[in-house]
Amino acid sequence: MTPLDYDFLRKCLKDRSGLVLSADKEYLVESRLLPVARKAGLANLGELVSALKAAPQDALMTAVVEAMTTNESLFFRDKTPFEHFRLTIMPALLAARRASRVIRIWCAAASTGQEPYSLAMSLKEMASEIVGWRIEIVATDISNDVLEKARAGLYTQFEVQRGLPIQLLIRHFTQSGELWQIAPDIRAMVKYRQLNLLNDFSQLGTFDLVFCRNVLIYFDSETKTDVLNRLARVTAADGFLVLGAAETVVGLTERFKMTADKRGLYVPNTSAPRLATAGKPMPRLVAVGGR
Amino acid sequence: MKTCLIVDDSSVIRKVARRILEGLEFQIVEAENGEDAIETCQRDLPDAILLDWNMPKMDGYEFLRLLRRLPGGDKPKVVFCTTENDVAHIARALHAGANEYIMKPFDRDIVEAKFQEVGLI
């Protein structure tokens, strides 16, 4: 791959997914994209770049973006956000939404489904507190491939052993040959759809909780600010935002503020001037495709 | 430094587990069957036990049953580590008092995650 080929790929990835690759990430691009090139019958990355230049809207470009943006996911990854969910977020929302009994949650970078399913399992564990409630989990990702895996809910033995307590495994999974499949009632709690965070997502409606973890780290500052500001528009004024351990809003936006002693948990900053929203107010509930 | 008793009749598995757990700063004691492991625990209870299921002399299930009857035997965190990967075995182990369950084959990440899960790390 020539330096010009690499620059071309960097620009494509930045434009289409927001992914920012530094000059020293050539090895990563080669390791992820060589299999894509070979699958398409191309000999090397040079030929892949030529094919992309010839047909930039082709499915090959989608495959390139998906290969570069697919990241490992674990059940109950980092633990702390799920403790916040159980001990802070849900008690607050159950009190605040007592009248409507509706809570909407968005996993904005759902990958292969471990995060939304971890939230769904956590909700199952508090079943007695949410009888009669409608709790919707919308899970999105840029990659159709990972969403397909998420919908199937099938995981390898290695995947179910990382982060998932054994009691939850035997309670919510069944063995399917060498794989483990998450129970239909948990799968039914999550609605998946493909979404690129660089595009408008206001059609999803307003959420009481947004999990947007380990995706902003791949964006440059300008893109981070843009995404955070648009997240603020779809987060209820008394809602919550959860970011990854290496992510923050500090220096990027004033629309969210940190919560004391709760790493990674943010709330809308109601004292910040509201951003102008185009058109009419956003609907509280919307129909969402997928499962 | 916390102690971990590795109970497995395979010297290869004990060696692999020792390397992983020493990397996680555990002091290691080994036993190759349930009988030896119970004798070890009668002398000195470890903080953690990584336990195989199928072993000669006394299997992991019987060892766990006896362990939990020893004075202070409810204290060690027991993590099964076995090729018995079906739900019935897992449920039986939890019922007998296991704290966690690792299905072989395993790697460092899995051992670390399971030991974290039960508060050993």
PDB file of all heavy atoms in Angstrom, chain A residues 79 157-158 160-167 169-170 173-175 180, chain B residues 85-87 90 94 100-105 107 109-110 114 116-117:
ATOM      1  N   LYS A  79     -18.116  -3.067  33.944  1.00  0.00           N
ATOM      2  CA  LYS A  79     -18.949  -3.229  35.148  1.00  0.00           C
ATOM      3  C   LYS A  79     -19.579  -1.942  35.686  1.00  0.00           C
ATOM      4  O   LYS A  79     -20.781  -1.873  35.933  1.00  0.00           O
ATOM      5  CB  LYS A  79     -18.124  -3.869  36.289  1.00  0.00           C
ATOM      6  CG  LYS A  79     -18.232  -5.361  36.323  1.00  0.00           C
ATOM      7  CD  LYS A  79     -17.626  -5.877  37.607  1.00  0.00           C
ATOM      8  CE  LYS A  79     -17.917  -7.332  37.790  1.00  0.00           C
ATOM      9  NZ  LYS A  79     -17.473  -7.840  39.045  1.00  0.00           N
ATOM     10  N   GLN A 157     -18.315 -19.802  23.343  1.00  0.00           N
ATOM     11  CA  GLN A 157     -18.035 -20.067  24.758  1.00  0.00           C
ATOM     12  C   GLN A 157     -17.097 -18.995  25.337  1.00  0.00           C
ATOM     13  O   GLN A 157     -17.250 -18.578  26.472  1.00  0.00           O
ATOM     14  CB  GLN A 157     -17.400 -21.443  24.864  1.00  0.00           C
ATOM     15  CG  GLN A 157     -17.285 -21.964  26.256  1.00  0.00           C
ATOM     16  CD  GLN A 157     -16.865 -23.417  26.236  1.00  0.00           C
ATOM     17  OE1 GLN A 157     -17.622 -24.274  25.816  1.00  0.00           O
ATOM     18  NE2 GLN A 157     -15.653 -23.672  26.642  1.00  0.00           N
ATOM     19  N   PHE A 158     -16.122 -18.550  24.521  1.00  0.00           N
ATOM     20  CA  PHE A 158     -15.211 -17.508  24.990  1.00  0.00           C
ATOM     21  C   PHE A 158     -15.976 -16.211  25.262  1.00  0.00           C
ATOM     22  O   PHE A 158     -15.755 -15.546  26.261  1.00  0.00           O
ATOM     23  CB  PHE A 158     -14.101 -17.248  23.955  1.00  0.00           C
ATOM     24  CG  PHE A 158     -12.938 -18.183  24.102  1.00  0.00           C
ATOM     25  CD1 PHE A 158     -12.928 -19.399  23.458  1.00  0.00           C
ATOM     26  CD2 PHE A 158     -11.858 -17.868  24.912  1.00  0.00           C
ATOM     27  CE1 PHE A 158     -11.873 -20.282  23.606  1.00  0.00           C
ATOM     28  CE2 PHE A 158     -10.788 -18.735  25.070  1.00  0.00           C
ATOM     29  CZ  PHE A 158     -10.795 -19.952  24.410  1.00  0.00           C
ATOM     30  N   VAL A 160     -19.150 -15.736  26.029  1.00  0.00           N
ATOM     31  CA  VAL A 160     -20.056 -15.719  27.184  1.00  0.00           C
ATOM     32  C   VAL A 160     -19.307 -15.803  28.506  1.00  0.00           C
ATOM     33  O   VAL A 160     -19.892 -15.592  29.564  1.00  0.00           O
ATOM     34  CB  VAL A 160     -21.127 -16.843  27.146  1.00  0.00           C
ATOM     35  CG1 VAL A 160     -22.056 -16.660  25.972  1.00  0.00           C
ATOM     36  CG2 VAL A 160     -20.501 -18.229  27.142  1.00  0.00           C
ATOM     37  N   GLN A 161     -18.009 -16.122  28.425  1.00  0.00           N
ATOM     38  CA  GLN A 161     -17.271 -16.269  29.686  1.00  0.00           C
ATOM     39  C   GLN A 161     -16.611 -14.966  30.132  1.00  0.00           C
ATOM     40  O   GLN A 161     -16.052 -14.887  31.207  1.00  0.00           O
ATOM     41  CB  GLN A 161     -16.214 -17.358  29.560  1.00  0.00           C
ATOM     42  CG  GLN A 161     -16.836 -18.723  29.396  1.00  0.00           C
ATOM     43  CD  GLN A 161     -15.974 -19.814  29.980  1.00  0.00           C
ATOM     44  OE1 GLN A 161     -16.058 -20.140  31.145  1.00  0.00           O
ATOM     45  NE2 GLN A 161     -15.117 -20.368  29.156  1.00  0.00           N
ATOM     46  N   ARG A 162     -16.623 -13.979  29.244  1.00  0.00           N
ATOM     47  CA  ARG A 162     -15.967 -12.713  29.609  1.00  0.00           C
ATOM     48  C   ARG A 162     -17.001 -11.716  30.082  1.00  0.00           C
ATOM     49  O   ARG A 162     -17.731 -11.141  29.289  1.00  0.00           O
ATOM     50  CB  ARG A 162     -15.215 -12.147  28.407  1.00  0.00           C
ATOM     51  CG  ARG A 162     -14.036 -13.004  28.048  1.00  0.00           C
ATOM     52  CD  ARG A 162     -13.336 -12.431  26.859  1.00  0.00           C
ATOM     53  NE  ARG A 162     -12.169 -13.243  26.527  1.00  0.00           N
ATOM     54  CZ  ARG A 162     -11.500 -13.111  25.400  1.00  0.00           C
ATOM     55  NH1 ARG A 162     -11.860 -12.217  24.526  1.00  0.00           N
ATOM     56  NH2 ARG A 162     -10.452 -13.869  25.175  1.00  0.00           N
ATOM     57  N   GLY A 163     -17.039 -11.503  31.357  1.00  0.00           N
ATOM     58  CA  GLY A 163     -17.909 -10.462  31.905  1.00  0.00           C
ATOM     59  C   GLY A 163     -19.286 -10.931  32.327  1.00  0.00           C
ATOM     60  O   GLY A 163     -19.977 -10.245  33.058  1.00  0.00           O
ATOM     61  N   LEU A 164     -19.694 -12.111  31.842  1.00  0.00           N
ATOM     62  CA  LEU A 164     -21.048 -12.575  32.154  1.00  0.00           C
ATOM     63  C   LEU A 164     -21.011 -13.520  33.358  1.00  0.00           C
ATOM     64  O   LEU A 164     -20.423 -14.599  33.277  1.00  0.00           O
ATOM     65  CB  LEU A 164     -21.626 -13.305  30.942  1.00  0.00           C
ATOM     66  CG  LEU A 164     -23.076 -13.747  31.030  1.00  0.00           C
ATOM     67  CD1 LEU A 164     -23.999 -12.546  31.117  1.00  0.00           C
ATOM     68  CD2 LEU A 164     -23.441 -14.586  29.815  1.00  0.00           C
ATOM     69  N   PRO A 165     -21.616 -13.125  34.476  1.00  0.00           N
ATOM     70  CA  PRO A 165     -21.635 -14.021  35.645  1.00  0.00           C
ATOM     71  C   PRO A 165     -22.308 -15.348  35.287  1.00  0.00           C
ATOM     72  O   PRO A 165     -23.277 -15.368  34.518  1.00  0.00           O
ATOM     73  CB  PRO A 165     -22.466 -13.248  36.683  1.00  0.00           C
ATOM     74  CG  PRO A 165     -22.401 -11.828  36.253  1.00  0.00           C
ATOM     75  CD  PRO A 165     -22.299 -11.856  34.757  1.00  0.00           C
ATOM     76  N   ILE A 166     -21.815 -16.425  35.845  1.00  0.00           N
ATOM     77  CA  ILE A 166     -22.294 -17.755  35.456  1.00  0.00           C
ATOM     78  C   ILE A 166     -23.791 -17.931  35.751  1.00  0.00           C
ATOM     79  O   ILE A 166     -24.501 -18.598  35.002  1.00  0.00           O
ATOM     80  CB  ILE A 166     -21.444 -18.858  36.140  1.00  0.00           C
ATOM     81  CG1 ILE A 166     -21.654 -20.201  35.452  1.00  0.00           C
ATOM     82  CG2 ILE A 166     -21.730 -18.976  37.629  1.00  0.00           C
ATOM     83  CD1 ILE A 166     -21.008 -20.317  34.116  1.00  0.00           C
ATOM     84  N   GLN A 167     -24.271 -17.290  36.813  1.00  0.00           N
ATOM     85  CA  GLN A 167     -25.705 -17.415  37.129  1.00  0.00           C
ATOM     86  C   GLN A 167     -26.553 -16.838  35.994  1.00  0.00           C
ATOM     87  O   GLN A 167     -27.612 -17.359  35.673  1.00  0.00           O
ATOM     88  CB  GLN A 167     -26.057 -16.698  38.446  1.00  0.00           C
ATOM     89  CG  GLN A 167     -25.554 -17.408  39.677  1.00  0.00           C
ATOM     90  CD  GLN A 167     -24.143 -16.986  40.042  1.00  0.00           C
ATOM     91  OE1 GLN A 167     -23.486 -16.285  39.276  1.00  0.00           O
ATOM     92  NE2 GLN A 167     -23.672 -17.396  41.202  1.00  0.00           N
ATOM     93  N   LEU A 169     -25.623 -16.638  32.885  1.00  0.00           N
ATOM     94  CA  LEU A 169     -25.484 -17.519  31.719  1.00  0.00           C
ATOM     95  C   LEU A 169     -26.517 -18.639  31.782  1.00  0.00           C
ATOM     96  O   LEU A 169     -27.217 -18.891  30.794  1.00  0.00           O
ATOM     97  CB  LEU A 169     -24.066 -18.113  31.663  1.00  0.00           C
ATOM     98  CG  LEU A 169     -23.847 -19.101  30.506  1.00  0.00           C
ATOM     99  CD1 LEU A 169     -23.786 -18.385  29.164  1.00  0.00           C
ATOM    100  CD2 LEU A 169     -22.573 -19.918  30.706  1.00  0.00           C
ATOM    101  N   ILE A 170     -26.609 -19.314  32.911  1.00  0.00           N
ATOM    102  CA  ILE A 170     -27.536 -20.455  32.919  1.00  0.00           C
ATOM    103  C   ILE A 170     -29.001 -19.992  33.002  1.00  0.00           C
ATOM    104  O   ILE A 170     -29.887 -20.712  32.630  1.00  0.00           O
ATOM    105  CB  ILE A 170     -27.203 -21.490  34.022  1.00  0.00           C
ATOM    106  CG1 ILE A 170     -27.282 -20.902  35.411  1.00  0.00           C
ATOM    107  CG2 ILE A 170     -25.854 -22.110  33.789  1.00  0.00           C
ATOM    108  CD1 ILE A 170     -27.242 -21.989  36.470  1.00  0.00           C
ATOM    109  N   PHE A 173     -29.408 -18.101  28.908  1.00  0.00           N
ATOM    110  CA  PHE A 173     -28.877 -18.661  27.659  1.00  0.00           C
ATOM    111  C   PHE A 173     -29.203 -20.143  27.566  1.00  0.00           C
ATOM    112  O   PHE A 173     -29.345 -20.822  28.590  1.00  0.00           O
ATOM    113  CB  PHE A 173     -27.346 -18.512  27.605  1.00  0.00           C
ATOM    114  CG  PHE A 173     -26.861 -17.112  27.352  1.00  0.00           C
ATOM    115  CD1 PHE A 173     -26.891 -16.168  28.383  1.00  0.00           C
ATOM    116  CD2 PHE A 173     -26.374 -16.737  26.116  1.00  0.00           C
ATOM    117  CE1 PHE A 173     -26.433 -14.867  28.168  1.00  0.00           C
ATOM    118  CE2 PHE A 173     -25.924 -15.443  25.894  1.00  0.00           C
ATOM    119  CZ  PHE A 173     -25.950 -14.504  26.917  1.00  0.00           C
ATOM    120  N   THR A 174     -29.280 -20.618  26.316  1.00  0.00           N
ATOM    121  CA  THR A 174     -29.377 -22.065  26.102  1.00  0.00           C
ATOM    122  C   THR A 174     -28.241 -22.477  25.175  1.00  0.00           C
ATOM    123  O   THR A 174     -27.768 -21.675  24.363  1.00  0.00           O
ATOM    124  CB  THR A 174     -30.714 -22.456  25.441  1.00  0.00           C
ATOM    125  OG1 THR A 174     -30.895 -21.646  24.278  1.00  0.00           O
ATOM    126  CG2 THR A 174     -31.884 -22.269  26.380  1.00  0.00           C
ATOM    127  N   GLN A 175     -27.824 -23.721  25.319  1.00  0.00           N
ATOM    128  CA  GLN A 175     -26.754 -24.212  24.458  1.00  0.00           C
ATOM    129  C   GLN A 175     -27.314 -24.555  23.089  1.00  0.00           C
ATOM    130  O   GLN A 175     -28.381 -25.144  22.972  1.00  0.00           O
ATOM    131  CB  GLN A 175     -26.116 -25.450  25.075  1.00  0.00           C
ATOM    132  CG  GLN A 175     -25.090 -25.088  26.132  1.00  0.00           C
ATOM    133  CD  GLN A 175     -24.727 -26.269  26.988  1.00  0.00           C
ATOM    134  OE1 GLN A 175     -25.583 -26.875  27.609  1.00  0.00           O
ATOM    135  NE2 GLN A 175     -23.453 -26.587  27.028  1.00  0.00           N
ATOM    136  N   TRP A 180     -23.785 -20.501  22.422  1.00  0.00           N
ATOM    137  CA  TRP A 180     -24.785 -20.204  23.442  1.00  0.00           C
ATOM    138  C   TRP A 180     -25.701 -19.129  22.888  1.00  0.00           C
ATOM    139  O   TRP A 180     -25.237 -18.116  22.366  1.00  0.00           O
ATOM    140  CB  TRP A 180     -24.112 -19.695  24.718  1.00  0.00           C
ATOM    141  CG  TRP A 180     -23.314 -20.752  25.424  1.00  0.00           C
ATOM    142  CD1 TRP A 180     -22.053 -21.185  25.092  1.00  0.00           C
ATOM    143  CD2 TRP A 180     -23.711 -21.510  26.572  1.00  0.00           C
ATOM    144  NE1 TRP A 180     -21.659 -22.177  25.964  1.00  0.00           N
ATOM    145  CE2 TRP A 180     -22.646 -22.388  26.879  1.00  0.00           C
ATOM    146  CE3 TRP A 180     -24.850 -21.539  27.366  1.00  0.00           C
ATOM    147  CZ2 TRP A 180     -22.693 -23.279  27.951  1.00  0.00           C
ATOM    148  CZ3 TRP A 180     -24.905 -22.426  28.436  1.00  0.00           C
ATOM    149  CH2 TRP A 180     -23.837 -23.281  28.716  1.00  0.00           C
TER     150      TRP A 180
ATOM    151  N   ASN B  85     -19.229 -28.891  30.141  1.00  0.00           N
ATOM    152  CA  ASN B  85     -19.707 -27.561  29.725  1.00  0.00           C
ATOM    153  C   ASN B  85     -21.220 -27.463  29.562  1.00  0.00           C
ATOM    154  O   ASN B  85     -21.712 -26.524  28.953  1.00  0.00           O
ATOM    155  CB  ASN B  85     -19.043 -27.162  28.402  1.00  0.00           C
ATOM    156  CG  ASN B  85     -17.560 -26.914  28.585  1.00  0.00           C
ATOM    157  OD1 ASN B  85     -17.078 -26.868  29.714  1.00  0.00           O
ATOM    158  ND2 ASN B  85     -16.837 -26.777  27.504  1.00  0.00           N
ATOM    159  N   ASP B  86     -21.966 -28.432  30.044  1.00  0.00           N
ATOM    160  CA  ASP B  86     -23.408 -28.335  29.841  1.00  0.00           C
ATOM    161  C   ASP B  86     -24.090 -27.698  31.056  1.00  0.00           C
ATOM    162  O   ASP B  86     -23.552 -27.653  32.160  1.00  0.00           O
ATOM    163  CB  ASP B  86     -24.018 -29.696  29.514  1.00  0.00           C
ATOM    164  CG  ASP B  86     -23.779 -30.696  30.611  1.00  0.00           C
ATOM    165  OD1 ASP B  86     -22.713 -31.343  30.595  1.00  0.00           O
ATOM    166  OD2 ASP B  86     -24.620 -30.796  31.505  1.00  0.00           O
ATOM    167  N   VAL B  87     -25.274 -27.189  30.801  1.00  0.00           N
ATOM    168  CA  VAL B  87     -26.007 -26.423  31.809  1.00  0.00           C
ATOM    169  C   VAL B  87     -26.251 -27.244  33.078  1.00  0.00           C
ATOM    170  O   VAL B  87     -26.153 -26.719  34.196  1.00  0.00           O
ATOM    171  CB  VAL B  87     -27.344 -25.915  31.218  1.00  0.00           C
ATOM    172  CG1 VAL B  87     -28.214 -25.315  32.304  1.00  0.00           C
ATOM    173  CG2 VAL B  87     -27.086 -24.889  30.148  1.00  0.00           C
ATOM    174  N   ILE B  90     -23.214 -27.186  35.256  1.00  0.00           N
ATOM    175  CA  ILE B  90     -23.001 -25.848  35.833  1.00  0.00           C
ATOM    176  C   ILE B  90     -23.978 -25.631  36.992  1.00  0.00           C
ATOM    177  O   ILE B  90     -23.591 -25.191  38.081  1.00  0.00           O
ATOM    178  CB  ILE B  90     -23.173 -24.745  34.756  1.00  0.00           C
ATOM    179  CG1 ILE B  90     -22.122 -24.910  33.658  1.00  0.00           C
ATOM    180  CG2 ILE B  90     -23.069 -23.367  35.386  1.00  0.00           C
ATOM    181  CD1 ILE B  90     -22.321 -24.004  32.446  1.00  0.00           C
ATOM    182  N   LEU B  94     -23.075 -24.976  40.992  1.00  0.00           N
ATOM    183  CA  LEU B  94     -23.522 -23.789  41.739  1.00  0.00           C
ATOM    184  C   LEU B  94     -24.333 -24.205  42.962  1.00  0.00           C
ATOM    185  O   LEU B  94     -24.191 -23.625  44.041  1.00  0.00           O
ATOM    186  CB  LEU B  94     -24.357 -22.872  40.834  1.00  0.00           C
ATOM    187  CG  LEU B  94     -23.608 -22.210  39.672  1.00  0.00           C
ATOM    188  CD1 LEU B  94     -24.569 -21.404  38.816  1.00  0.00           C
ATOM    189  CD2 LEU B  94     -22.479 -21.327  40.187  1.00  0.00           C
ATOM    190  N   GLU B 100     -18.092 -19.545  40.877  1.00  0.00           N
ATOM    191  CA  GLU B 100     -18.039 -19.248  39.443  1.00  0.00           C
ATOM    192  C   GLU B 100     -17.664 -20.523  38.693  1.00  0.00           C
ATOM    193  O   GLU B 100     -17.380 -21.562  39.320  1.00  0.00           O
ATOM    194  CB  GLU B 100     -17.036 -18.122  39.123  1.00  0.00           C
ATOM    195  CG  GLU B 100     -17.691 -16.772  38.858  1.00  0.00           C
ATOM    196  CD  GLU B 100     -18.618 -16.754  37.638  1.00  0.00           C
ATOM    197  OE1 GLU B 100     -18.569 -17.677  36.804  1.00  0.00           O
ATOM    198  OE2 GLU B 100     -19.418 -15.802  37.517  1.00  0.00           O
ATOM    199  N   TYR B 101     -17.656 -20.433  37.369  1.00  0.00           N
ATOM    200  CA  TYR B 101     -17.494 -21.628  36.542  1.00  0.00           C
ATOM    201  C   TYR B 101     -16.769 -21.248  35.261  1.00  0.00           C
ATOM    202  O   TYR B 101     -17.227 -20.371  34.524  1.00  0.00           O
ATOM    203  CB  TYR B 101     -18.870 -22.181  36.211  1.00  0.00           C
ATOM    204  CG  TYR B 101     -18.931 -23.639  35.842  1.00  0.00           C
ATOM    205  CD1 TYR B 101     -19.314 -24.600  36.768  1.00  0.00           C
ATOM    206  CD2 TYR B 101     -18.632 -24.071  34.545  1.00  0.00           C
ATOM    207  CE1 TYR B 101     -19.399 -25.940  36.426  1.00  0.00           C
ATOM    208  CE2 TYR B 101     -18.716 -25.422  34.196  1.00  0.00           C
ATOM    209  CZ  TYR B 101     -19.111 -26.350  35.144  1.00  0.00           C
ATOM    210  OH  TYR B 101     -19.195 -27.685  34.804  1.00  0.00           O
ATOM    211  N   ILE B 102     -15.633 -21.881  35.023  1.00  0.00           N
ATOM    212  CA  ILE B 102     -14.899 -21.638  33.778  1.00  0.00           C
ATOM    213  C   ILE B 102     -14.980 -22.893  32.918  1.00  0.00           C
ATOM    214  O   ILE B 102     -14.696 -23.990  33.394  1.00  0.00           O
ATOM    215  CB  ILE B 102     -13.417 -21.298  34.064  1.00  0.00           C
ATOM    216  CG1 ILE B 102     -13.306 -19.948  34.767  1.00  0.00           C
ATOM    217  CG2 ILE B 102     -12.601 -21.312  32.773  1.00  0.00           C
ATOM    218  CD1 ILE B 102     -11.906 -19.620  35.261  1.00  0.00           C
ATOM    219  N   MET B 103     -15.390 -22.700  31.665  1.00  0.00           N
ATOM    220  CA  MET B 103     -15.454 -23.839  30.751  1.00  0.00           C
ATOM    221  C   MET B 103     -14.140 -23.922  29.973  1.00  0.00           C
ATOM    222  O   MET B 103     -13.720 -22.945  29.360  1.00  0.00           O
ATOM    223  CB  MET B 103     -16.633 -23.656  29.795  1.00  0.00           C
ATOM    224  CG  MET B 103     -17.981 -23.685  30.509  1.00  0.00           C
ATOM    225  SD  MET B 103     -19.371 -23.412  29.394  1.00  0.00           S
ATOM    226  CE  MET B 103     -19.482 -21.628  29.405  1.00  0.00           C
ATOM    227  N   LYS B 104     -13.496 -25.069  30.013  1.00  0.00           N
ATOM    228  CA  LYS B 104     -12.263 -25.241  29.239  1.00  0.00           C
ATOM    229  C   LYS B 104     -12.614 -25.347  27.755  1.00  0.00           C
ATOM    230  O   LYS B 104     -13.667 -25.904  27.433  1.00  0.00           O
ATOM    231  CB  LYS B 104     -11.543 -26.515  29.677  1.00  0.00           C
ATOM    232  CG  LYS B 104     -10.940 -26.440  31.078  1.00  0.00           C
ATOM    233  CD  LYS B 104     -10.338 -27.792  31.437  1.00  0.00           C
ATOM    234  CE  LYS B 104      -9.802 -27.805  32.871  1.00  0.00           C
ATOM    235  NZ  LYS B 104      -9.415 -29.158  33.323  1.00  0.00           N
ATOM    236  N   PRO B 105     -11.788 -24.847  26.834  1.00  0.00           N
ATOM    237  CA  PRO B 105     -10.506 -24.202  27.098  1.00  0.00           C
ATOM    238  C   PRO B 105     -10.700 -22.768  27.612  1.00  0.00           C
ATOM    239  O   PRO B 105     -11.709 -22.141  27.336  1.00  0.00           O
ATOM    240  CB  PRO B 105      -9.831 -24.197  25.734  1.00  0.00           C
ATOM    241  CG  PRO B 105     -10.958 -24.178  24.750  1.00  0.00           C
ATOM    242  CD  PRO B 105     -12.079 -24.934  25.394  1.00  0.00           C
ATOM    243  N   ASP B 107      -8.575 -18.879  28.763  1.00  0.00           N
ATOM    244  CA  ASP B 107      -7.372 -18.058  28.592  1.00  0.00           C
ATOM    245  C   ASP B 107      -7.271 -17.092  29.777  1.00  0.00           C
ATOM    246  O   ASP B 107      -8.112 -17.109  30.679  1.00  0.00           O
ATOM    247  CB  ASP B 107      -7.388 -17.305  27.253  1.00  0.00           C
ATOM    248  CG  ASP B 107      -8.559 -16.333  27.132  1.00  0.00           C
ATOM    249  OD1 ASP B 107      -9.256 -16.083  28.150  1.00  0.00           O
ATOM    250  OD2 ASP B 107      -8.779 -15.805  26.029  1.00  0.00           O
ATOM    251  N   ASP B 109      -7.722 -13.887  30.012  1.00  0.00           N
ATOM    252  CA  ASP B 109      -8.819 -12.922  30.138  1.00  0.00           C
ATOM    253  C   ASP B 109     -10.007 -13.531  30.876  1.00  0.00           C
ATOM    254  O   ASP B 109     -10.653 -12.870  31.697  1.00  0.00           O
ATOM    255  CB  ASP B 109      -9.289 -12.453  28.756  1.00  0.00           C
ATOM    256  CG  ASP B 109      -8.294 -11.517  28.111  1.00  0.00           C
ATOM    257  OD1 ASP B 109      -7.360 -11.088  28.811  1.00  0.00           O
ATOM    258  OD2 ASP B 109      -8.445 -11.229  26.911  1.00  0.00           O
ATOM    259  N   ILE B 110     -10.302 -14.785  30.552  1.00  0.00           N
ATOM    260  CA  ILE B 110     -11.450 -15.436  31.188  1.00  0.00           C
ATOM    261  C   ILE B 110     -11.184 -15.656  32.671  1.00  0.00           C
ATOM    262  O   ILE B 110     -12.033 -15.364  33.518  1.00  0.00           O
ATOM    263  CB  ILE B 110     -11.784 -16.760  30.468  1.00  0.00           C
ATOM    264  CG1 ILE B 110     -12.360 -16.463  29.077  1.00  0.00           C
ATOM    265  CG2 ILE B 110     -12.766 -17.602  31.286  1.00  0.00           C
ATOM    266  CD1 ILE B 110     -12.554 -17.678  28.194  1.00  0.00           C
ATOM    267  N   LYS B 114     -13.369 -13.954  35.656  1.00  0.00           N
ATOM    268  CA  LYS B 114     -14.108 -14.758  36.647  1.00  0.00           C
ATOM    269  C   LYS B 114     -13.621 -14.459  38.073  1.00  0.00           C
ATOM    270  O   LYS B 114     -14.428 -14.409  39.007  1.00  0.00           O
ATOM    271  CB  LYS B 114     -13.954 -16.247  36.335  1.00  0.00           C
ATOM    272  CG  LYS B 114     -14.592 -16.664  35.022  1.00  0.00           C
ATOM    273  CD  LYS B 114     -16.097 -16.502  35.065  1.00  0.00           C
ATOM    274  CE  LYS B 114     -16.779 -17.031  33.825  1.00  0.00           C
ATOM    275  NZ  LYS B 114     -18.230 -16.823  33.848  1.00  0.00           N
ATOM    276  N   GLN B 116     -12.363 -11.680  39.041  1.00  0.00           N
ATOM    277  CA  GLN B 116     -12.900 -10.342  39.353  1.00  0.00           C
ATOM    278  C   GLN B 116     -14.358 -10.452  39.772  1.00  0.00           C
ATOM    279  O   GLN B 116     -14.814  -9.807  40.700  1.00  0.00           O
ATOM    280  CB  GLN B 116     -12.795  -9.430  38.138  1.00  0.00           C
ATOM    281  CG  GLN B 116     -11.497  -8.675  38.052  1.00  0.00           C
ATOM    282  CD  GLN B 116     -11.361  -7.877  36.760  1.00  0.00           C
ATOM    283  OE1 GLN B 116     -12.199  -7.974  35.880  1.00  0.00           O
ATOM    284  NE2 GLN B 116     -10.289  -7.125  36.670  1.00  0.00           N
ATOM    285  N   GLU B 117     -15.083 -11.294  39.065  1.00  0.00           N
ATOM    286  CA  GLU B 117     -16.512 -11.449  39.288  1.00  0.00           C
ATOM    287  C   GLU B 117     -16.810 -11.847  40.737  1.00  0.00           C
ATOM    288  O   GLU B 117     -17.794 -11.425  41.331  1.00  0.00           O
ATOM    289  CB  GLU B 117     -17.052 -12.522  38.324  1.00  0.00           C
ATOM    290  CG  GLU B 117     -18.550 -12.684  38.297  1.00  0.00           C
ATOM    291  CD  GLU B 117     -19.267 -11.389  37.987  1.00  0.00           C
ATOM    292  OE1 GLU B 117     -18.836 -10.664  37.097  1.00  0.00           O
ATOM    293  OE2 GLU B 117     -20.271 -11.097  38.690  1.00  0.00           O
TER     294      GLU B 117
END
